[in-house]
Amino acid sequence: MATRQSSFGKDTGLQARMVFTIFLLGLLYTVFVGVLFAAGAGAGVIIVVAGLLLLVQLFASDKIAMASLGVKEVSPADEPELHGIVERLCVQADLPKPRVCVMESSMPNAFAMGRTRKSTTVCATRGILDLLSPSELEGVMAHEMTHVINRDVMVMTLAGFFASLASLIAQFAFFFGGGYGGEEEERDIMIVVLVSVVVYAVSFLLLRALSRYREFAADRGSAVLTGRPSALASALIKISGTIERIPSQDLRRAEGLSAFFIVPARTKRSLMNLFADHPPLEQRLAALERLESQLQGVA
């Protein structure tokens, strides 16, 4: 058991980046709250809004997201192959079996959500189940299980809370703060809005950097867990090639959760890809090719 945990343990590089990101965001928001107090914002309002938003993010955001996507839990009788793959990976990685769900969508994709290893859900779309071979599907599900091992879904959810709070406070200031006070009060409101925008921008960039690295870490974990980096590489090529032909309305439905999918659900390429939540496909394939060479060398 100790050997298995050592082989398939957490990615130390990702763990360090997650701690550093949360530290920076915490420091950033300490300054942010100080500015709010200095500008005369009510302490009670800040605490209540922040507390409620945090509770929703941690305990309900995954359920709300999955309900909006029409995700349904499936039994071993419904999807024996998918359950069999997840069970084998759980045994190999010494993990409790998560809830197994299917999203009835032609978009080929998969994701994992949940706060803890015991409350995790892994989901595959109907499109990916129809598209991939068993070994490719195993590579994809091993990628999702690695997110569970690294607990990065919870960290991404917590980090996303900070950006959501900054955005919410800026909106409140815009819609409810103007036109009812003197010149000094309006100046304070503008300070709050500007600081909120800066905080949101910094949070956005930190989240994107962490999100890209966690995808590399999950690809590595999948390669080690299955011993077949080429299977995941083949799956990524198939998914990326197919997703470009999916109707735009199907992609828009899932675009809000793009960061959690194995391949981003985007309707088209744009300048925003510079701030993408996933690394470029070419870089992921190159990394998997290097891992394949290393594993063959060891063999």
Side-chain angles (χ1 to χ4, degrees):
M1 185 71 70
T3 302
R4 184 163 54 196
Q5 287 180 333
S6 173
S7 299
F8 306 126
K10 297 177 181 179
D11 185 293
T12 54
L14 178 60
Q15 298 301 307
R17 282 167 172 80
M18 289 194 297
V19 170
F20 184 62
T21 298
I22 293 297
F23 170 77
L24 286 181
L25 287 171
L27 182 62
L28 186 66
Y29 274 80
T30 300
V31 175
F32 184 32
V33 170
V35 170
L36 292 176
F37 278 116
V45 175
I46 296 171
I47 292 171
V48 169
V49 170
L52 288 175
L53 187 58
L54 180 59
L55 288 174
V56 171
Q57 287 282 96
L58 287 179
F59 295 100
S61 60
D62 56 339
K63 298 178 181 63
I64 294 171
M66 289 189 290
S68 69
L69 293 174
V71 171
K72 302 292 184 184
E73 186 171 4
V74 292
S75 68
D78 296 326
E79 297 291 341
E81 183 179 64
L82 181 59
H83 270 272
I85 287 172
V86 172
E87 287 170 1
R88 288 195 300 273
L89 292 171
C90 286
V91 169
Q92 194 165 358
D94 191 29
L95 288 173
K97 186 179 178 183
R99 292 175 64 223
V100 179
C101 294
V102 170
M103 175 180 167
E104 295 296 340
S105 170
S106 59
M107 174 187 67
N109 234 317
F111 63 88
M113 295 192 115
R115 300 185 317 279
T116 66
R117 296 185 180 191
K118 292 182 179 180
S119 63
T120 300
T121 297
V122 292
C123 178
T125 65
R126 182 62 59 192
I128 206 171
L129 295 176
D130 293 340
L131 177 67
L132 301 184
S133 69
S135 63
E136 291 167 342
L137 183 60
E138 183 181 52
V140 167
M141 300 316 294
H143 172 104
E144 299 306 329
M145 297 303 293
T146 302
H147 285 311
V148 177
I149 293 169
N150 287 325
R151 301 179 190 269
D152 57 41
V153 174
M154 183 186 69
V155 173
M156 287 291 292
T157 300
L158 182 60
F161 154 74
F162 292 126
S164 299
L165 180 60
S167 175
L168 185 63
I169 289 174
Q171 290 176 50
F172 271 126
F174 266 125
F175 291 113
F176 302 110
Y180 296 100
E183 186 175 325
E184 183 178 348
E185 183 177 341
E186 295 210 356
R187 184 196 64 197
D188 289 342
I189 290 169
M190 285 308 301
I191 290 173
V192 170
V193 170
L194 289 173
V195 173
S196 299
V197 170
V198 170
V199 168
Y200 178 81
V202 174
S203 303
F204 177 87
L205 293 174
L206 287 172
L207 276 170
R208 289 303 184 269
L210 177 61
S211 182
R212 287 193 294 271
Y213 187 88
R214 85 184 191 111
E215 292 303 322
F216 278 127
D219 286 349
R220 284 194 298 272
S222 172
V224 173
L225 195 56
T226 64
R228 292 193 298 271
S230 58
L232 178 59
S234 176
L236 290 175
I237 291 170
K238 281 187 180 181
I239 296 168
S240 298
T242 304
I243 210 166
E244 294 176 355
R245 302 194 296 270
I246 299 298
S248 295
Q249 62 268 24
D250 291 346
L251 294 180
R252 289 194 189 97
R253 182 184 172 202
E255 204 163 7
L257 290 173
S258 182
F260 292 97
F261 285 111
I262 189 170
V263 170
R266 283 196 295 271
T267 55
K268 59 183 178 180
R269 297 182 179 275
S270 69
L271 290 176
M272 284 304 292
N273 289 338
L274 295 172
F275 307 107
D277 40 43
H278 288 66
L281 176 63
E282 295 76 14
Q283 292 182 14
R284 296 175 74 176
L285 296 177
L288 288 169
E289 186 176 355
R290 289 192 295 271
L291 282 169
E292 184 79 34
S293 299
Q294 291 170 10
L295 288 176
Q296 288 179 352
V298 171

